[in-house]
Amino acid sequence: MSSPTQITVTPVSGSRQLSLFIKLPRLLYDGLPSYVPPLDMEQRDIFSPTHAPFFEHGFACYFLAWRNGKPIGRISAQIDALALKQPGPRTGFFGALDTLEPECVAPLLEAATQWLKLRKVERIRGPWTLNSNGESGIMVEGQDEPPMIGIPWHPKTLGPAVEAAGFKRAVDLLSYRMETSPSAERANQIPANIRQRLGAITMRGLRKDKVNEDAEILREIYNDAWSDTWGNIPLTQDEVKSLLKALKPILRPEQYVLAEVAGEPAAIALVIPNMFDISGDLGGAPSPLGWLKLASRVVSHDFRSARVVLLGVRKKYLGTALRAMLPALIIDELMKRGHVLPYRSIELGWVLETHEGLRKLIERISPTPYKRHRMYEKLLTE
């Protein structure tokens, strides 16, 4: 006979449970002073096997935790074929871990672990939703800060509960807030005529008549820049096309920054507006009037903040002066475009704590990270 307080974990079955899985965080965290729910529609595009490009090279199982017939937590377990091609232990992932009850974390992680072990996974890492190109980490600092698109929010009890369940801290991901102000521009001041002295560096934005071509340039530079970086999974063509398609209603040419050296693409950044600026007061499932308000705000581009989601410099410039200067020039360009775009702040996020060069550059402008997300891992062969 089961205890009335017993927690049970079951795989998600059917469209109704998938819908519950998708909206569960806003049901659990509703009313917490710092939590702002994302749109259910956006989350559905992330998790739906028929919509998310992840499922072209990966597969997943979703789990719900229950007590007395009430859902109290969720988790995903997933395997990415691209990760299995990388050297080292066969690595699978967990993600979408959400609960307010610390005692729920261990059974959720156990369900994900057992699912992965049955598929001969030797190491589990996470949380990723659904791989390193999606939402990453458990928020361990910054719960009281304003929400940002693509950045998960978690209660402060979640990280310690993951460690108590036997998972070890792997690495921290840091987020910095850069104000688009004259003082920030002065802090990032770069030598005059540096572009010409380093090799005729030019900057341009997105070509709306050649979006697919520019998307491929972005993918190639990003994958080259971050290959061999901890946990990185290369972006596929479909993932980049899907990203730009989703951003099409709010994408402006100035949000795409391409640095070219002597006409050759060398460094890239993509900035996306913070959807929470225009949807945060509408809830995860807006009313018909709410959707009309949202559409009006999208058309007027009524955003106050944005986030750099992709940033990279080609590896060929390693060990050169260009490698050190191109990120600074990209940031300088972002600040200049801040005079055209309405953003008062831009988040530079998910910087690996071990990436000291990039951190030093950013910390000249924003000395202290304002959010911290933690990645965990566990060997399953011990």
Side-chain angles (χ1 to χ4, degrees), residues 204-208 250-257 337 341:
R204 71 166 174 85
L206 181 72
R207 300 172 297 182
K208 286 211 165 182
I250 57 175
L251 193 61
R252 295 189 172 185
E254 294 84 1
Q255 292 163 222
Y256 179 100
V257 182
R337 295 185 184 187
L341 297 167

Side-chain angles (χ1 to χ4, degrees), residues 109-141:
L109 285 168
E110 180 64 15
T113 298
Q114 290 303 318
W115 186 87
L116 290 168
K117 286 180 75 172
L118 286 173
R119 287 150 185 84
K120 304 188 185 306
V121 163
E122 299 167 333
R123 177 175 60 194
I124 179 171
R125 279 180 171 170
W128 272 314
T129 308
L130 291 165
N131 64 16
S132 63
N133 298 313
E135 294 186 358
S136 302
I138 287 177
M139 179 178 275
V140 294
E141 293 178 13

Side-chain angles (χ1 to χ4, degrees), residues 71-265:
I72 59 171
R74 71 171 193 175
I75 197 170
S76 68
Q78 57 267 11
I79 293 175
D80 192 321
L82 299 177
L84 296 182
K85 294 179 181 179
Q86 297 175 341
R90 284 175 55 87
T91 301
F93 310 136
F94 75 93
L97 177 59
D98 285 284
T99 183
L100 273 174
E101 305 189 33
E103 65 272 21
C104 185
V105 171
L108 282 169
L109 285 168
E110 180 64 15
T113 298
Q114 290 303 318
W115 186 87
L116 290 168
K117 286 180 75 172
L118 286 173
R119 287 150 185 84
K120 304 188 185 306
V121 163
E122 299 167 333
R123 177 175 60 194
I124 179 171
R125 279 180 171 170
W128 272 314
T129 308
L130 291 165
N131 64 16
S132 63
N133 298 313
E135 294 186 358
S136 302
I138 287 177
M139 179 178 275
V140 294
E141 293 178 13
Q143 281 85 353
D144 295 331
E145 297 290 348
M148 176 59 67
I149 186 171
I151 298 292
W153 185 95
H154 301 109
K156 293 182 179 181
T157 54
L158 195 57
V162 172
E163 296 180 21
F167 281 69
K168 296 180 180 178
R169 172 187 176 276
V171 68
D172 281 2
L173 308 172
L174 311 177
S175 296
Y176 297 82
R177 181 166 50 210
M178 182 180 74
E179 304 296 335
T180 55
S181 64
S183 61
E185 292 183 38
R186 288 192 295 271
N188 190 54
Q189 190 170 9
I190 56 178
N193 302 320
I194 192 68
R195 296 184 186 182
Q196 291 75 17
R197 290 189 306 180
L198 288 176
I201 300 171
T202 58
M203 301 279 180
R204 71 166 174 85
L206 181 72
R207 300 172 297 182
K208 286 211 165 182
D209 59 335
K210 296 182 179 179
V211 170
N212 287 341
E213 185 178 326
D214 281 353
E216 183 60 15
I217 291 172
L218 182 152
R219 187 187 73 85
E220 288 181 356
I221 295 178
Y222 181 80
N223 285 347
D224 177 61
W226 295 103
S227 62
D228 304 321
T229 301
W230 186 92
N232 181 67
I233 303 295
L235 281 166
T236 67
Q237 290 181 332
D238 285 342
E239 283 172 332
V240 174
K241 287 179 181 178
S242 177
L243 173 63
L244 292 185
K245 181 180 178 181
L247 293 175
K248 188 175 181 179
I250 57 175
L251 193 61
R252 295 189 172 185
E254 294 84 1
Q255 292 163 222
Y256 179 100
V257 182
L258 177 66
E260 296 179 311
V261 178
E264 179 187 32

Side-chain angles (χ1 to χ4, degrees), residues 191-370:
N193 302 320
I194 192 68
R195 296 184 186 182
Q196 291 75 17
R197 290 189 306 180
L198 288 176
I201 300 171
T202 58
M203 301 279 180
R204 71 166 174 85
L206 181 72
R207 300 172 297 182
K208 286 211 165 182
D209 59 335
K210 296 182 179 179
V211 170
N212 287 341
E213 185 178 326
D214 281 353
E216 183 60 15
I217 291 172
L218 182 152
R219 187 187 73 85
E220 288 181 356
I221 295 178
Y222 181 80
N223 285 347
D224 177 61
W226 295 103
S227 62
D228 304 321
T229 301
W230 186 92
N232 181 67
I233 303 295
L235 281 166
T236 67
Q237 290 181 332
D238 285 342
E239 283 172 332
V240 174
K241 287 179 181 178
S242 177
L243 173 63
L244 292 185
K245 181 180 178 181
L247 293 175
K248 188 175 181 179
I250 57 175
L251 193 61
R252 295 189 172 185
E254 294 84 1
Q255 292 163 222
Y256 179 100
V257 182
L258 177 66
E260 296 179 311
V261 178
E264 179 187 32
I268 193 74
L270 181 66
V271 182
I272 60 173
N274 184 13
M275 184 59 69
F276 283 106
D277 288 346
I278 63 172
S279 68
D281 62 331
L282 303 176
S287 66
L289 178 59
W291 283 113
L292 287 174
K293 289 181 179 178
L294 184 61
S296 173
R297 294 168 183 176
V298 167
V299 170
S300 62
H301 207 78
D302 192 19
F303 298 96
R304 302 180 302 278
S305 58
R307 175 175 167 240
V308 178
V309 291
L310 298 174
L311 172 69
V313 179
R314 285 195 187 275
K315 269 193 165 56
K316 67 179 287 184
Y317 297 107
L318 282 173
T320 70
L322 275 170
R323 180 65 181 86
M325 287 306 303
L326 280 170
L329 289 168
I330 290 279
I331 291 174
D332 180 64
E333 185 69 17
L334 288 173
M335 290 179 174
K336 289 178 179 177
R337 295 185 184 187
H339 298 301
V340 178
L341 297 167
Y343 317 137
R344 295 197 289 271
S345 65
I346 297 175
E347 180 178 291
L348 300 166
W350 285 342
V351 177
L352 283 169
E353 62 179 344
T354 54
H355 198 156
E356 294 182 0
L358 184 56
R359 287 185 61 189
K360 286 179 180 178
L361 172 64
I362 295 171
E363 288 173 6
R364 293 189 310 157
I365 308 164
S366 180
T368 306
Y370 84 123

